[in-house]
Amino acid sequence: MDLDNLYQELIVDHGTQPRNFAELDSHSHDAEGFNPLCGDLVHVYVKLDGDKIADVSFTGKGCAISTASASIMTDLVKGKTLTEVRALFKQFQDLLTKDNQSEVELGKLSALAGVKKYPSRVKCATLAWHTLQDACKE
Amino acid sequence: MDYIKQIRQDFPILKTQVKGHQLAYLDNAATTQKPRVVIDALDKYYATINANVHRGVHFLSENATEAYEQARYKVQKFINAASPQEIVFTRGTTEAVNLVASSFCQQFLNAGDEIIITRAEHHSNIVPWQLACERHGATLKVLPLTDSYELDLTKLDQLFSSKTKMLAVSHVSNALGTINPIKEIISKARANNVPVLIDGAQAGAHVDIDVQALDCDFYTLSSHKMFGPMGIGALYAKKSWLEQMPPYQGGGEMILQVTFDKVTYNQIPHKFEAGTPSVADSIAWGAAIDYLQALDHEKIAQHEAGLLEYAEQQLSKVDGITFYGQAQNKVPIISFLLSDIHPHDIGTIVNDYGVAIRTGHHCNMPLMDYIGISGTARASFAMYNTQEDVDQLCQALAEVKRVFHGSR
């Protein structure tokens, strides 16, 4: 059923025990993201090495969906270039909003595919990603 | 058939099935559902008397005007105002507060003046006053809360000064359900010669309102929170204020005569109703008031009190639940959290079991800040809710716990 689709073990796991959940001591970039609808707050820290994300972490307070999404994101984007991250985010957004999207390259992120059936929760799932992009701007 | 079951029959939407479950609608503080008579009134208006009001001399316009003014009269009676001239139709409570914050403050608020609100207000009874203070160089003062999140009246006297121009407070807290001691607040304000605005958005569906007995200066209402349509509400204001206040918006209807040199404004309340009003919605709100007035108020008050007690009893058996706002005097609204589970997750999961609740800050961010949380899950009941709805909520909460903690 929909619900088990949305709250998969992986999501609950990352949502309640997030990875990379700390301020990055040596970050070069950071940004804060806020979802006024539910009061979710996320702070993303990035250490850029040229065009590459050498390290990334986050702190904040949010629902299981936004926390899990942030946690999986930090696992996934480490070592990737900003161009690769942008492409990945685009693919992830498509997964959440469009039908019949490929989940091949998304890895653990595809666990969030269930969000598509809950349009009011798409913002929760993308908050950390938007914040990561904000952090890497300039 | 028992009385409440009978009432439920009047609300077609309550038969809705959500994901294979009977809908348990527990988001009544956000908006109430509409009885068949209200839906029919909208239909009947457009099918039989639709015309613009106050300007036509033809058959339809005269009928529409009469029905529109009849609706004003029904609102007047509902809150026991002295005259229908004291009822200004607005889009809802928010617009009513904005009308006063804009128009009253333009006339009476000067640099250095003060306005008092409370920490437990809805954003719509905070932001309009912030805007007015910004515009006129005035200061907003905030009545603090007690440890149990009720208004701390012991701190009220010291907030009044010779500069205080307005006190604005809600009748009932939308986030916690607390019925505020507005009678006492009004008499304190009166003693300090300060006019009072009561935000009555949450009161209409639960509390008897008598603006003359309260002796408040302004009282605001939203139709959709008391079984009427959305997009219509009212500002009650004492006649003397309405006569002294400048218009809120300019346009047709609010004028008597316009030249490029001079404008003569219409009589109250029309001076404050620029443009074509929401005639159908006003009339259908009147139908909602008729419907409410015809019900047995004592039976409903008993039912709602019993329901609140039952819900608190049953929910307190849910392991890990914390309640916020358990005032002695409250309407059936229960704000809660479940161990460390985010309210948004609670809301999404119970929805899969047909239960509609509201989650988040409920447009009360300063109150949530004070409590030290980002939001709550809120179950808000109306007269048509039953113990079965409560049971359905409790079962759904057990599922929430199963998802997060792997057990019931």
Side-chain angles (χ1 to χ4, degrees):
Chain A
M1 82 180 285
D2 293 351
L3 194 57
D4 287 326
N5 233 337
L6 181 61
Y7 288 92
Q8 290 179 17
E9 229 169 274
L10 185 74
I11 303 298
V12 175
D13 176 31
H14 276 266
T16 52
Q17 292 161 299
R19 321 296 195 265
N20 308 306
F21 190 73
E23 186 178 335
L24 206 57
D25 286 339
S26 55
H27 64 265
S28 58
H29 295 70
D30 73 310
E32 205 171 70
F34 182 57
N35 180 353
L37 184 71
C38 44
D40 285 354
L41 191 71
V42 65
H43 200 131
V44 174
Y45 304 89
V46 186
K47 187 180 175 187
L48 276 184
D49 179 9
D51 191 35
K52 204 174 244 178
I53 294 183
D55 207 354
V56 56
S57 73
F58 79 106
T59 60
K61 221 165 72 174
C63 62
I65 303 300
S66 79
T67 307
S69 176
S71 172
I72 296 171
M73 176 189 82
T74 53
D75 263 354
L76 213 62
V77 300
K78 233 178 264 185
K80 288 201 162 59
T81 66
L82 292 180
T83 315
E84 288 170 328
V85 169
R86 264 194 297 276
L88 196 60
F89 182 29
K90 171 79 174 57
Q91 209 185 347
F92 180 49
Q93 275 182 312
D94 287 349
L95 178 73
L96 300 184
T97 52
K98 295 180 184 165
D99 288 330
N100 307 319
Q101 294 298 306
S102 152
E103 300 174 12
V104 181
E105 287 163 52
L106 290 171
K108 282 184 187 169
L109 266 186
S110 54
L112 284 156
V115 173
K116 192 175 166 296
K117 288 179 191 150
Y118 300 81
S120 62
R121 305 301 299 276
V122 171
K123 272 189 183 156
C124 307
T126 54
L127 178 64
W129 287 86
H130 284 293
T131 312
L132 173 66
Q133 291 212 315
D134 285 348
C136 296
K137 263 182 206 159
E138 47 210 65
Chain B
M1 208 185 327
D2 91 34
Y3 193 59
I4 300 305
K5 290 237 166 69
Q6 222 169 312
I7 287 177
R8 286 183 70 84
Q9 298 294 321
D10 298 331
F11 291 79
I13 210 167
L14 296 180
K15 296 192 178 76
T16 304
Q17 294 281 312
V18 180
K19 304 189 182 208
H21 299 270
Q22 166 69 42
L23 166 71
Y25 185 76
L26 302 179
D27 194 17
N28 293 286
T31 195
T32 51
Q33 298 302 344
K34 322 304 172 201
R36 173 52 72 191
V37 285
V38 167
I39 302 166
D40 286 348
L42 288 169
D43 188 75
K44 188 178 158 206
Y45 169 78
Y46 284 115
T48 61
I49 58 168
N50 176 52
N52 214 329
V53 290
H54 292 304
R55 282 187 283 280
V57 290
H58 56 77
F59 174 79
L60 290 181
S61 179
E62 281 174 349
N63 276 312
T65 302
E66 197 194 317
Y68 178 64
E69 290 306 321
Q70 191 66 28
R72 193 190 307 278
Y73 175 76
K74 287 174 186 176
V75 176
Q76 177 216 337
K77 291 293 162 203
F78 181 73
I79 58 172
N80 193 32
S83 151
Q85 282 186 297
E86 296 180 322
I87 305 298
V88 178
F89 279 123
T90 62
R91 278 189 297 137
T93 292
T94 298
E95 192 182 46
V97 177
N98 275 282
L99 193 162
V100 180
S102 167
S103 187
F104 175 92
C105 292
Q106 185 187 327
Q107 186 75 12
F108 297 105
L109 192 69
N110 297 305
D113 283 346
E114 293 162 358
I115 289 172
I116 301 174
I117 60 169
T118 87
R119 180 106 203 198
E121 297 307 310
H122 188 283
H123 295 164
S124 64
N125 200 25
I126 299 175
V127 183
W129 304 114
Q130 284 176 324
L131 290 171
C133 285
E134 215 169 277
R135 213 172 287 139
H136 301 284
T139 308
L140 200 60
K141 291 190 147 189
V142 182
L143 179 68
L145 307 180
T146 65
D147 291 343
S148 54
Y149 318 129
E150 292 172 54
L151 303 183
D152 189 351
L153 289 202
T154 63
K155 305 269 167 62
L156 182 56
D157 283 327
Q158 66 205 56
L159 287 184
F160 290 115
S161 80
S162 58
K163 294 280 185 188
T164 313
K165 289 293 165 69
M166 173 68 75
L167 188 160
V169 57
S170 51
H171 196 163
V172 175
S173 158
N174 74 303
L176 306 181
T178 316
I179 301 175
N180 291 322
I182 55 168
K183 185 94 188 129
E184 198 182 333
I185 294 171
I186 293 166
S187 71
K188 278 178 187 284
R190 198 56 68 235
N192 287 277
N193 220 0
V194 170
V196 181
L197 176 139
I198 305 292
D199 167 358
Q202 294 296 332
H206 302 288
V207 183
D208 287 336
I209 303 162
D210 182 337
V211 290
Q212 293 188 76
L214 285 171
D215 195 25
C216 56
D217 298 271
F218 303 94
Y219 196 100
T220 64
L221 278 176
S222 279
S223 148
H224 76 97
K225 292 198 197 285
M226 45 180 286
F227 314 104
M230 286 183 171
I232 190 78
L235 168 69
Y236 158 79
K238 281 184 179 166
K239 210 170 175 177
S240 57
W241 288 122
L242 288 182
E243 278 164 352
Q244 294 176 73
M245 280 157 55
Y248 174 49
Q249 294 179 325
E253 178 82 27
M254 49 79 70
I255 44 81
L256 285 180
Q257 204 176 16
V258 179
T259 69
F260 286 113
D261 300 321
K262 192 176 183 296
V263 174
T264 321
Y265 300 126
N266 203 339
Q267 303 287 311
I268 63 164
H270 308 293
K271 181 170 101 180
F272 295 96
E273 293 180 358
T276 297
S278 195
V279 181
D281 294 317
S282 323
I283 293 167
W285 186 16
I289 291 172
D290 287 344
Y291 175 82
L292 269 177
Q293 305 280 41
L295 294 175
D296 185 332
H297 289 215
E298 207 170 304
K299 260 188 192 166
I300 285 170
Q302 261 177 20
H303 168 69
E304 287 191 355
L307 200 57
L308 178 63
E309 197 187 332
Y310 180 76
E312 281 180 338
Q313 249 171 31
Q314 294 304 306
L315 286 167
S316 63
K317 292 180 194 161
V318 178
D319 195 28
I321 202 161
T322 311
F323 295 113
Y324 296 93
Q326 288 186 289
Q328 204 62 41
N329 204 8
K330 68 180 284 186
V331 303
I333 289 178
I334 299 180
S335 242
F336 65 93
L337 282 175
L338 198 53
S339 41
D340 54 353
I341 303 169
H342 194 281
H344 231 95
D345 294 317
I346 300 175
T348 294
I349 296 174
V350 300
N351 173 60
D352 270 45
Y353 297 89
V355 181
I357 59 168
R358 184 63 168 261
T359 60
H361 50 62
H362 317 297
C363 294
N364 275 251
M365 281 180 163
L367 170 62
M368 295 298 142
D369 267 353
Y370 178 75
I371 301 176
I373 53 178
S374 66
T376 69
R378 181 189 69 187
S380 55
F381 299 84
M383 58 190 179
Y384 43 60
N385 287 119
T386 61
Q387 294 196 349
E388 284 79 25
D389 293 330
V390 174
D391 296 342
Q392 199 173 330
L393 171 64
C394 291
Q395 282 156 18
L397 290 178
E399 295 298 331
V400 175
K401 299 202 59 164
R402 182 187 61 79
V403 167
F404 277 91
H405 301 144
S407 72
R408 287 160 187 241

